Amino acid sequence: MNILIGLGLAIAGLVLLLWLLFEWQYSTRQGNLLEFDSGIWQFLTYEPEHYQIELILTATNKTRNLDVFLVELKPEVSLLSSDSLDHVHSETQLRSRHANITSRHDNYWESYIVSPKKSTSAEIQLNITGKNLDQLKTAWVKIHYTIYGPGGREEKVKHCIIPLQFPNGEQRERWRPTPDADVLPIRTHILSAGDTPVDVMQRYVIGHAQAGDIVTIAETPIAIMQGNFYHPSDIKPRWLAKRLCYYFQSTSSLATACGLQTLINESGAWRVAFAFIAGAIAKALFRKPGVFYMLAGEQARLIDDVTGTLPPYDQFIVLGPKNPQAVVDEIKAGTGLEAAIVDVNDLRRVKVLAATSGVSEKLLNQALVMNPAGNAAEQTPIVLIRPNRAN
């Protein structure tokens, strides 16, 4: 009898081991790993009553050895304006750029097999006509696409934000005095993943700057230019995020399942769970707040949930910037100006994420404490700081 029991347990253990190995192998499969890049766009026509924009997006199969089908693709355009859209008309034209296949002209997307490590592209032309086009701020292009492969059929959306309004770089200067420096908030277009920090500085800042100035830019537009933002529909909250989000203050960007899941995707479930437990103990037993944010990773403080920034990014979860020190070093190399990436709010809090070697953090705090860039719709993510000669 004991032999039969032992044999049964051995068989059960073997079956369990085989099942676990099978599940582990499945969990390492890459599935439908086909992703679009942020896209490259350009104006073909930029006239008072006619804009024509070409947007090219490239989809890459990032699997090692699996074919993925790109079976459907349909663009949808939303125009954001400071005026009525009653007399504005827009239409889109879709063309594929499949290798060795002639492009169609009827807006039909022909299914295409993307081989491992290979790519295909889509060309979208956006025509906008009408009056008051100078009031248009952005075109939000949503590319609805369907992929098909080992992971089944999946419907996804790629979001591209194209600026349509560009402030004059020669805007009238309105310097504001502070005790140790003068500050100049600088207006830009709605920044997108098609911009780079150095190009933006050269376009809007260089004309106002002089030797010794410091240029600061908010952390959110840097993250946006890096493409480090997600639509909530792309975030799939799991068990941990759905339960822990209720323990954060309602004003926190981690108080929603999608916001917290974004942090988990960045920092890892085990790290976030440990940080939550340690933070709860520190707060309950030692009355020490903020431990969770110290342990959960830098993104825990930097994530902005929906409504956290200007339209259309008010519909997205925006993370903090990647490698901010490299960004400020690039700005200095490209402009000659000392630079810093900052997180400033109306609560008179200034956090410096990264700064070049010649920047005084004390001076930044003093110059930015009143938040000259603003937290509303000012569209001035850059602040130029000119220290007083005594500093």
Side-chain angles (χ1 to χ4, degrees), residues 3 6 19 25 32 54 123 143 149 158 165 177-178 182 204 215 256 264-265 267 269 298 316 326 356 377-378:
I3 294 176
W19 180 80
Q25 186 186 41
N32 297 343
E54 179 186 71
E123 176 187 324
I143 297 92
K158 178 65 183 181
Q165 187 182 87
T178 71
D182 291 335
Y204 293 109
V215 62
T256 66
I264 292 172
N265 293 346
S267 298
E298 185 68 15
F316 293 84
T356 50
E378 292 88 349

Side-chain angles (χ1 to χ4, degrees), residues 6-309:
L7 183 60
L9 290 174
I11 293 173
L14 180 61
V15 171
L16 178 61
L17 178 61
L18 290 174
W19 180 80
L20 290 173
L21 287 173
F22 185 73
E23 284 297 306
W24 173 80
Q25 186 186 41
Y26 173 76
S27 68
T28 62
R29 298 288 189 184
Q30 293 181 295
N32 297 343
L33 193 56
L34 183 143
E35 298 177 359
F36 273 102
D37 63 6
S38 297
I40 300 173
W41 59 268
Q42 63 174 335
F43 280 97
L44 302 179
T45 304
Y46 193 74
E47 298 174 349
E49 296 187 356
H50 181 207
Y51 296 166
Q52 185 180 28
I53 304 162
E54 179 186 71
L55 171 64
I56 299 175
L57 297 110
T58 300
T60 302
N61 180 352
K62 298 188 176 182
T63 67
R64 291 184 296 269
N65 53 11
L66 301 171
D67 287 341
V68 182
F69 301 61
L70 183 55
V71 296
E72 293 181 9
L73 191 147
K74 182 179 180 181
E76 175 192 355
V77 177
S78 298
L79 299 177
L80 281 69
S81 174
S82 56
D83 201 353
S84 170
L85 295 173
D86 288 346
H87 301 288
V88 176
H89 176 72
S90 67
E91 60 180 24
T92 58
Q93 184 176 35
L94 170 66
R95 292 182 182 177
S96 62
R97 288 193 171 187
H98 302 321
N100 304 318
I101 296 179
T102 303
S103 177
R104 301 176 65 102
H105 296 270
D106 57 359
N107 284 344
Y108 179 83
W109 180 263
E110 195 167 357
S111 296
Y112 187 75
I113 300 174
V114 187
S115 302
K117 305 298 182 182
K118 300 296 183 180
S119 302
T120 191
S121 298
E123 176 187 324
I124 299 168
Q125 283 201 8
L126 172 60
N127 273 286
I128 306 173
T129 57
K131 300 178 180 179
N132 297 326
L133 295 191
D134 60 342
Q135 299 301 308
L136 294 177
K137 291 189 174 182
T138 54
W140 177 5
V141 184
K142 306 170 193 176
I143 297 92
H144 301 266
Y145 65 101
T146 303
I147 53 179
Y148 179 78
R153 180 183 169 95
E154 298 181 57
E155 295 183 357
K156 298 195 170 195
V157 183
K158 178 65 183 181
H159 302 269
C160 297
I161 312 299
I162 301 175
L164 302 176
Q165 187 182 87
F166 301 89
N168 187 343
E170 299 178 356
Q171 62 189 4
R172 187 174 62 174
E173 296 187 3
R174 295 181 180 177
W175 289 89
R176 305 177 187 177
T178 71
D180 294 326
D182 291 335
V183 297
L184 176 67
I186 296 179
R187 192 167 180 262
T188 70
H189 61 271
I190 299 291
L191 301 174
S192 72
D195 294 303
T196 67
V198 172
D199 288 346
V200 170
M201 297 298 171
Q202 290 176 340
R203 179 170 191 166
Y204 293 109
V205 177
I206 291 300
H208 303 282
Q210 64 183 34
D213 288 354
I214 302 167
V215 62
T216 68
I217 184 168
E219 88 287 1
T220 296
I222 293 292
I224 287 171
M225 285 188 276
Q226 294 174 335
N228 205 18
F229 58 93
Y230 301 91
H231 195 270
S233 61
D234 298 325
I235 306 297
K236 309 301 180 187
R238 298 184 179 178
W239 186 92
L240 187 65
K242 290 179 179 179
R243 284 150 182 81
L244 292 192
C245 68
Y246 287 99
Y247 293 92
F248 292 88
Q249 293 183 358
S250 59
T251 55
S252 170
S253 291
L254 305 179
T256 66
C258 288
L260 186 53
Q261 184 63 50
T262 304
L263 174 62
I264 292 172
N265 293 346
E266 292 290 315
S267 298
W270 286 108
R271 182 176 183 178
V272 172
F274 172 75
F276 180 82
I277 294 170
I281 293 173
K283 194 171 184 178
L285 299 183
F286 304 104
R287 296 182 179 179
K288 184 178 180 180
V291 172
F292 170 84
Y293 294 94
M294 294 171 54
L295 300 176
E298 185 68 15
Q299 291 290 353
R301 293 186 184 275
L302 298 178
I303 289 175
D304 281 329
D305 207 345
V306 295
T307 75
T309 186

